[in-house]
Amino acid sequence: AAERIRVDVGAVKVRCDQGSWVGVTTSIGVAHLNRGIDTIDGLIAAADTAMYQAKADGRDRVRSAAPLVIDLTGVPNPRLPR
């Protein structure tokens, strides 16, 4: 979803006061709640850090705060959030 938003924003052109048109870019940081991020403040801080990493990597990018872990085994793992 974040990549789709980045692409859609990139398609926007804004008209300046002088009449010229300029393109728009966006850098997006994404994060999800996990064992290391378990509060809203932590979630926002992680997404913010990922956004600044996107800018540092060249702007107009999407970066994730941490890899998403998906357990497909069905076996309970006490180290992962429910």
Side-chain angles (χ1 to χ4, degrees):
E3 179 63 15
R4 191 170 58 241
I5 292 168
R6 186 196 65 77
V7 169
D8 288 349
V9 168
V12 171
K13 300 294 182 209
V14 178
R15 189 167 185 179
C16 297
D17 290 340
Q18 298 81 9
S20 62
W21 293 87
V22 296
V24 179
T25 64
T26 186
S27 297
I28 300 173
V30 296
H32 65 280
L33 294 173
N34 61 37
R35 65 178 174 243
I37 303 170
D38 57 3
T39 66
I40 293 297
D41 288 340
L43 184 66
I44 292 169
D48 192 52
T49 298
M51 180 201 60
Y52 281 107
Q53 185 61 54
K55 289 179 177 292
D57 288 347
R59 300 182 181 252
D60 198 29
R61 304 203 184 319
V62 175
R63 292 295 178 258
S64 176
L68 177 61
V69 177
I70 300 173
D71 182 2
L72 301 176
T73 66
V75 177
N77 185 338
R79 297 183 317 217
L80 296 176
R82 295 243 163 245

